Amino acid sequence: MSPTCTLVTAFYNFPAKKYHTNNYIVWMKAFLENTNNNMVIYTDSQESHDLIAEYRKHLKDQTIIIIEPFRNLYCYQYQDYWNKDLMRD
């Protein structure tokens, strides 16, 4: 069965977060390896790019990885809200 949609997601290793980075990597690995849809994935470093590429190597023709600083993304405008939300957690 061919993919019917394209998923757009991101992985940014923020200094302040609810869980340890290793947790996010485990969750990301499961998601990326087991989701057969087309994906566009944003990240901010070559290291993260290479990790994502490894997890999607069996679907590289269905994967686009874009290295882009977080501050350049539309959702950057919500960073203050998310930081306050983290403090509430």
Side-chain angles (χ1 to χ4, degrees):
M1 177 190 269
S2 62
T4 59
C5 69
T6 298
L7 302 175
V8 179
T9 189
F11 175 72
Y12 286 84
N13 191 10
F14 298 119
K17 52 192 165 273
K18 190 171 182 177
Y19 300 101
H20 190 277
T21 300
N22 290 342
N23 291 65
Y24 293 106
I25 289 174
V26 168
W27 298 328
M28 178 177 67
K29 181 180 189 294
F31 174 67
L32 295 177
E33 288 182 343
N34 296 304
T35 303
N36 293 326
N37 293 81
N38 297 320
M39 282 194 189
V40 176
I41 306 161
Y42 288 85
T43 193
D44 62 347
S45 72
Q46 188 63 48
E47 180 182 5
S48 294
H49 173 284
D50 295 347
L51 184 65
I52 293 164
E54 177 65 24
Y55 295 156
R56 294 286 292 179
K57 66 183 173 190
H58 64 294
L59 296 164
K60 68 169 117 178
D61 61 324
Q62 294 175 235
T63 306
I64 298 172
I65 306 168
I66 301 170
I67 297 175
E68 187 72 41
F70 183 68
R71 70 181 174 280
N72 292 353
L73 301 182
Y74 175 82
C75 58
Y76 177 75
Q77 66 185 314
Y78 301 109
Q79 186 174 14
D80 289 340
Y81 173 81
W82 292 330
N83 288 332
K84 288 177 189 172
D85 201 40
L86 180 63
M87 298 304 289
R88 284 188 294 251
D89 286 345

